[in-house]
Amino acid sequence: AVVSTQSTGNFPCIKMADAELKKAFTELKNKSVETATKIKAVDNQIEQNKNRGKHAELTYMEVKQSNSDTKLYESVGRMFVLETQDVILEQLKDRAAKSRDTIQKLESQKGYLNKNLKESENALRELVETKKTAVAK
């Protein structure tokens, strides 16, 4: 932030403008930091969903290769339930599809957040330029 060390003398409106600029600068800076934090959180969620989807796809391929008479168990809490191969394969397909859908939603959310971050940064730059020109005068 640009801070004027010059005395404003008999111009209280300049002091008030400086206070307003400082407040606006702080708000924009906080918004930028908050948006960047949200983007990191969305990136983490995207990565988690990619891993879940990949795990479901790999498991699907392995289960599909097994014999149809192989006993397959599904984990339900602390117990295991005997299921048919078709049921397990369907659940794995659903899990992979849900992961892909979630990733698409998170990607669009990330795009929106990136747009907001750029707008905040541009507003911050404009505010600094305004401050510089005000101090130069």
Side-chain angles (χ1 to χ4, degrees):
V2 177
V3 179
S4 174
T5 57
Q6 299 173 345
S7 172
T8 56
N10 294 328
F11 302 106
C13 62
I14 293 175
K15 286 183 182 179
M16 189 168 76
D18 283 346
E20 289 174 4
L21 283 173
K22 188 173 185 177
K23 181 181 176 187
F25 179 81
T26 304
E27 287 174 3
L28 286 172
K29 185 69 175 164
N30 289 340
K31 183 178 177 185
S32 294
V33 169
E34 181 181 322
T35 304
T37 303
K38 286 180 183 178
I39 289 171
K40 286 180 185 177
V42 168
D43 281 337
N44 288 338
Q45 289 176 344
I46 289 170
E47 195 61 36
Q48 288 174 349
N49 278 287
K50 282 182 182 177
N51 290 339
R52 274 190 212 122
K54 185 74 169 175
H55 183 266
E57 289 169 4
L58 291 172
T59 306
Y60 178 88
M61 291 187 323
E62 289 297 318
V63 170
K64 190 146 178 90
Q65 290 176 1
S66 68
N67 295 333
S68 59
D69 62 338
T70 304
K71 292 184 179 183
L72 300 171
Y73 295 89
E74 177 189 7
S75 172
V76 180
R78 292 172 43 180
M79 66 179 183
F80 295 93
V81 178
L82 181 63
E83 291 287 353
T84 64
Q85 184 180 25
D86 294 335
V87 170
I88 298 289
L89 290 174
E90 191 62 35
Q91 289 174 350
L92 291 169
K93 271 196 249 180
D94 289 344
R95 202 175 301 161
K98 284 180 185 176
S99 291
R100 284 191 296 274
D101 291 344
T102 304
I103 288 170
Q104 287 178 342
K105 289 176 186 174
L106 289 170
E107 290 288 351
S108 67
Q109 184 180 0
K110 182 180 172 183
Y112 174 76
L113 289 170
N114 278 327
K115 181 182 168 190
N116 280 350
L117 183 62
K118 287 187 190 324
E119 287 175 2
S120 293
E121 288 173 349
N122 288 338
L124 201 53
R125 275 190 210 97
E126 289 175 14
L127 190 60
V128 169
E129 289 300 317
T130 304
K131 182 74 170 164
K132 283 181 183 178
T133 57
V135 168
K137 290 180 182 179

